[in-house]
Amino acid sequence: MTLTGTSLMAMSLLYGLTFAESAAKVVHMNIARQQAVADTLSLTAVNVQHNAYAVNISVGNPPQYMAVQIDTGSSDLVLLGKSSCSDPDALCNPTFAASIGVPPEFFDPTKSNTTRDLTSSLGNFSISYGGGNTDSGTWLADTVGFNGMSLMNQTFGLTQSINNPNKANIIPIMGVGFPNSEASNITYPSVVQQMKSQGLIDVQAYSVWLNDPNAQAGSILFGGIDTAKYSGSLASVPMVNDPQSGKLDRFIIPWTLLNFTSADGNTTLFSGAIGALLDSGTTAMTLPADIAIQLANGLGLSPQADGTLLVDCELGTYGDAFTFGFNNDPTAVITVPLSNFIKPVLLADGSTQVDQDGNSICSVQVSEAPFPFAILGDIFMTAGYFVFDLDNAIISMAQANLNTTDSNVIGLASSSGIGATTVSATVTVTAFPSATGTSTPLQILATATVKTVSIQSNTPTLKLGSATAKAGGSATGSATGSSASATKSSAANPGQQPPARGATFIVLSLVTLMTLLGGSCMLLA
């Protein structure tokens, strides 16, 4: 199919498939343009602009095909039902789908002969996301396929009605978080758990390589790591308890440092210890108010009346960068170019908004958090390679090798092949309080309604002071066991394990849908 739209580049979504069985039971779905190799299952996909990373799946028997967004910030597979398509912002709405050149895909359980209704055991389906929408419907179970491999009796929510006051874009989502964060009354086997229990992978772990924001595709690799997709060694950081729930139920890690490097040198903007959720379902970055305000002040910007930060797009060409540090570990750092934070403000015709002098206007992709932790979304995650180890409640990370066509996939027969499995938090994570006296919270402007606005003409260089975490409640945690099936195994040097014989893994192509579908898919507690 072809993706087009007023603000989109017309590109084609191509499908290719090869499969061969091997003694290692390797299942491999490659990214775009990569050659299929023996013992692989290959899918070709393209990236249209950036910010909504999706994979293609099938559901039911006979199979119904659709794309779902990969979301590390939630835990449920959520599909769109036919009745939900009446919402004008649902991806399956015929008018909306036609406007961006995609088919109005939804799941129809009456056309599958293997669908089971789970209402009697799980109750009614209802889930709320950070974009402000609440999806309601029915819990079902059916076969879910990944273009050749299948999960039998996979539970999912079928959205039949939508409460969408903020007019968020509604898309199908495959949450890959902890099962104890599921939206059901009773915890059910998640997609990742099912992959392991049904023999598709050997460990509850997967790695995410979103790739360059402007690249054609990235990948998610279940049950393995690809050592060609990152540089150096993987550094392991423990997940910690959610400051809101007090439980280990989200992918939150201790964020302890933020530095900025420019031609003027290196400046520490933040040091302390706050929780940071790594969320592939959120396109931008949501920061505690004090840190967000520091960024605005350092840019020399006064927010617009609606709280947005607008800058000359030239700011993204200077080569400056932020460095994020975690758990006070000098090896657990990810450097993110400032250009990732700067996105053009688009008009309805797809052109970039300009100021009165004809300069292109961009929006800084940072907003204030209404909760006591930060969300590091795709603008952060595109810079790194991340391994989510659900068995041990650890996230391992390294700087990403962007736009590489090389691949060296290692299937993991046990979590010990990922990195250290006994790491613990070196700090106490505090619940960062909201700033007082803020008139309008900072937010992100994606689409403009006027042709010209006024932006400040000062030189866009960051001159920031330092923000420090302040106590407002605490949440401590370490990777030593939890209701999220956190267990221990022997420690290992990250990135130095030989291929594990008999290991099983799955690689899914990540198709970047479009900036239009950006937003937050974080599950609200």
Side-chain angles (χ1 to χ4, degrees), residues 491-507:
N493 293 325
Q496 298 178 358
Q497 296 297 310
R501 299 188 64 83
T504 311
F505 56 88
I506 299 173
V507 184

Side-chain angles (χ1 to χ4, degrees), residues 29-32 43-45 54-56 217-220 507-511:
M29 301 178 77
N30 285 320
I31 64 169
L43 174 72
T44 302
V55 296
N56 292 296
S219 67
I220 180 169
V507 184
L508 296 180
S509 297
L510 290 177
V511 185

Side-chain angles (χ1 to χ4, degrees), residues 341-382:
F341 289 73
I342 309 300
K343 303 300 179 187
V345 175
L346 301 178
L347 295 166
D349 62 1
S351 62
T352 300
Q353 186 181 13
V354 297
D355 67 5
Q356 64 275 16
D357 298 318
N359 300 310
S360 296
I361 295 177
C362 281
S363 173
V364 180
Q365 302 292 289
V366 172
S367 60
E368 289 183 25
F371 27 74
F373 54 88
I375 296 180
L376 306 184
D378 296 339
I379 64 174
F380 166 78
M381 291 186 66
T382 51

Side-chain angles (χ1 to χ4, degrees), residues 157-204:
L158 185 68
T159 299
Q160 295 168 322
S161 64
I162 301 169
N163 180 18
N164 191 18
N166 297 334
K167 297 189 178 300
N169 294 123
I170 310 299
I171 60 178
I173 290 171
M174 187 166 81
V176 286
F178 284 131
N180 63 344
S181 190
E182 291 168 348
S184 60
N185 295 329
I186 301 173
T187 300
Y188 62 84
S190 68
V191 168
V192 181
Q193 283 182 320
Q194 290 273 66
M195 286 182 177
K196 181 179 179 180
S197 66
Q198 296 186 26
L200 300 185
I201 58 177
D202 293 315
V203 294
Q204 291 187 81

Side-chain angles (χ1 to χ4, degrees), residues 298-316:
L299 284 166
L301 295 175
S302 297
Q304 302 290 312
D306 59 1
T308 58
L309 294 174
L310 302 181
V311 296
D312 188 327
C313 292
E314 185 183 358
L315 177 64

